Amino acid sequence: MTTMLGLQLTGRRVLVVGGGPVAARRVQSLLADAAQVVVVAPQLCEVLLDLHRWGLIEWRVREVEESDLDGAWLVHTATGDRSTDAAVLAWATERQTFCVDAGSGADGSARTPATTQQGDVLVGVVSTGTADPRRTIAVRDAFASQLREGRVDLRHRRAHPGRVVLVGGGPGDVGLLTLAGRRALAEADVVVTDRLGPVAVLDELAPGVEIIDVGKTPGHHPVPQHEIGRILVEQAQRGRVVVRLKGGDPFVYGRGGEEVLACREADVPVEVIPGVSSAFAAPAAAGIPLTHRGTVGAVHVMNGHDGWSSAALTGLRDGSCTVVVLMGVSALATLATQALDAGADPATPVALVEEGTLPGQRVTRARLDDVVDVAAAAGVRAPAVIVLGAVAAAGLLEPEGDAAHTAASSDESVPGAVTMAT
C-alpha cells in the first residue's frame, strides 16, 4: 500500500544521487520547494552544472558513499545503474530515510507523484500498486483540466483576507471566458455580475456562492457606479473573495479602472483578469476581419455615446482604418448623419452585429447613407457592435465569383442591405 503525504522540505537537506537529465528534473522541483539540495555524481549535465555555478546546489564530485546520506531528510537516486541505485536504497532503508528510486518506482520506499497546482492547492497522483507512470500522468492531466476550467469549488473554508478580482467575461459565449476567469469564479465567495457577458456560467457556480446583480440596461442604471464600488469593497472587507464578472474586457468601456481605484483607495487587494472584448469578438464571429491585407490595416474603437472624434472621422473618411462602435445603436442616426456631413463616402459599408457569439447572433449590413432606415426596418436592438469601413462589405472573404453572387443576393432582398442570422 502507498500513503500520500505532503512534505515540507523548505531548508531541509535532500540528497540526489546522479547527474543526468532525470536527476536534473528532480533537483529543479526540489529547489522550487526551497529544499537544500546535495548532488553526488562524478559528472553533471548542463542544467545541473548551471545550478551549481549559480550556487543553488552543493556538488560532491565522486561516486556516492553511505555517509552522503547523513542528515538527509529525503533521498532521490537516479544514476541509471541498478546496482548503485539498489545500494543507495538499502542504505536509506537502514537509516529509516525515505528514498525515491527513479529507475524503479516499485523498489523505492517513496514515490514522486505526478502533480498539478492551482493557486495554493497542490494535487498529486500516485499508483498504490505497481508503478504505472502513463496512467498516473493521464489521471493528473484530467484533474489539471478540471482545475484550469474552474470546474472544482476552490473556495477557502477558513477565514482569509478578502480581495477583489475583476474578470473580463468576454462577449457572451461561455466558451470565450478565459481559463483564468473560470479559475477565479471557482474561488469566489460572491460574484457581482452584469447583464451582459457569459451570464450562463452563473449556473455552474458552487452552491452557496452569493450572486449580486448590478446589471444595466440601455437608459436604466439601477445600481450607480459608486454603489458598485462600495459593494466590492464592503464584501472584500468581510474577508470574502469577490469576483466582479463583467462583459467583454474590464478596461474596454467596462469602467474597470474606476472599480480598481475604489478598491485601492480602501486598501483592498484587487487584480484584473483580461477578457475578450466584444469590439473584436463580435465582428470575428460574424466573419468580419477588422484588418485585412490590401484593404485596411488599422482599427479605431469608439463609444457611440461620446460621438465622433476627429481621428475616427478622418479614418472613416479616408478609409485608413476600420471604425468599431460600441454602445452605438441608440445613437446610430446621429452618428450616420455626422459622418456624412463630415464628408464620409455614402457607400461606406456598415455592419451591425447583434448578440455577437450567442445563439441569437444576427448581422445586418447596409451602406452608410441607408443604414438608419435598414436598421429600423430590421428591428436592430442593443447589444450590438457596429463596424464601419471596407471590411464590413458582404462577401469580402468569399472567392470572387461567390462574392459577386453574395452581393447580388443582397440587392434582391433589401436594396443596399443584407440581414442574416448566424
Side-chain angles (χ1 to χ4, degrees), residues 83-329:
S83 61
T84 301
D85 289 341
V88 172
L89 176 57
W91 294 334
T93 301
E94 290 174 5
R95 293 163 176 261
Q96 298 181 345
T97 301
F98 283 111
C99 179
V100 176
D101 185 348
S104 175
D107 292 338
S109 56
R111 294 180 182 178
T112 302
T115 61
T116 182
Q117 186 164 358
Q118 176 54 51
D120 59 359
V121 175
L122 178 67
V123 177
V125 180
V126 296
S127 298
T128 58
T130 303
D132 189 347
R134 287 189 177 182
R135 185 180 64 166
T136 298
I137 291 173
V139 174
R140 185 276 310 276
D141 290 347
F143 275 111
S145 177
Q146 294 291 306
L147 291 171
R148 282 196 305 269
E149 295 174 7
R151 301 193 181 278
V152 180
D153 183 1
L154 297 176
R155 289 176 295 163
H156 286 272
R157 305 304 176 186
R158 55 180 174 79
H160 57 85
R163 58 191 175 92
V164 173
V165 185
L166 306 187
V167 173
D173 182 351
V174 173
L176 295 177
L177 173 61
T178 67
L179 293 177
R182 280 188 171 275
R183 289 197 298 267
L185 286 167
E187 297 176 355
D189 298 307
V190 58
V191 177
V192 181
T193 184
D194 281 337
R195 179 179 68 94
L196 301 178
V199 292
V201 79
L202 299 176
D203 296 333
E204 302 176 11
L205 296 177
V209 177
E210 182 179 353
I211 300 174
I212 301 176
D213 186 353
V214 295
K216 305 177 180 70
T217 57
H220 182 54
H221 297 210
V223 183
Q225 188 61 40
H226 68 84
E227 179 66 10
I228 294 174
R230 187 197 63 78
I231 291 170
L232 298 178
V233 168
E234 182 182 88
Q235 291 290 333
Q237 288 176 335
R238 292 170 56 187
R240 310 182 84 182
V241 175
V242 185
V243 167
R244 174 70 170 104
L245 181 62
K246 306 173 76 68
D249 182 276
F251 283 0
V252 180
Y253 299 119
R255 305 187 76 167
E258 297 171 54
E259 292 169 5
V260 167
L261 282 172
C263 292
R264 289 179 176 169
E265 288 172 354
D267 290 327
V268 169
V270 59
E271 64 176 298
V272 178
I273 295 178
V276 180
S277 172
S278 59
F280 306 104
I288 301 171
L290 296 183
T291 64
H292 189 61
R293 182 177 296 184
T295 303
V296 67
V299 181
H300 186 106
V301 180
M302 58 179 276
N303 175 356
H305 295 167
D306 294 339
W308 290 102
S309 66
S310 58
L313 271 178
T314 299
L316 180 68
R317 189 170 51 237
D318 63 19
S320 60
C321 73
T322 300
V323 178
V324 178
V325 183
L326 301 182
M327 298 172 283
V329 172

Side-chain angles (χ1 to χ4, degrees), residues 370-383:
D370 289 333
V371 69
V372 175
D373 291 338
V374 170
V380 172
R381 300 176 60 187

Side-chain angles (χ1 to χ4, degrees), residues 302-367:
M302 58 179 276
N303 175 356
H305 295 167
D306 294 339
W308 290 102
S309 66
S310 58
L313 271 178
T314 299
L316 180 68
R317 189 170 51 237
D318 63 19
S320 60
C321 73
T322 300
V323 178
V324 178
V325 183
L326 301 182
M327 298 172 283
V329 172
S330 62
L332 180 60
T334 299
L335 293 172
T337 298
Q338 290 177 345
L340 291 168
D341 290 345
D345 185 348
T348 299
V350 182
L352 301 95
V353 185
E354 298 171 81
E355 297 188 39
T357 77
L358 295 173
Q361 176 177 301
R362 185 175 68 151
V363 183
T364 300
R365 300 177 191 266
R367 290 164 43 115

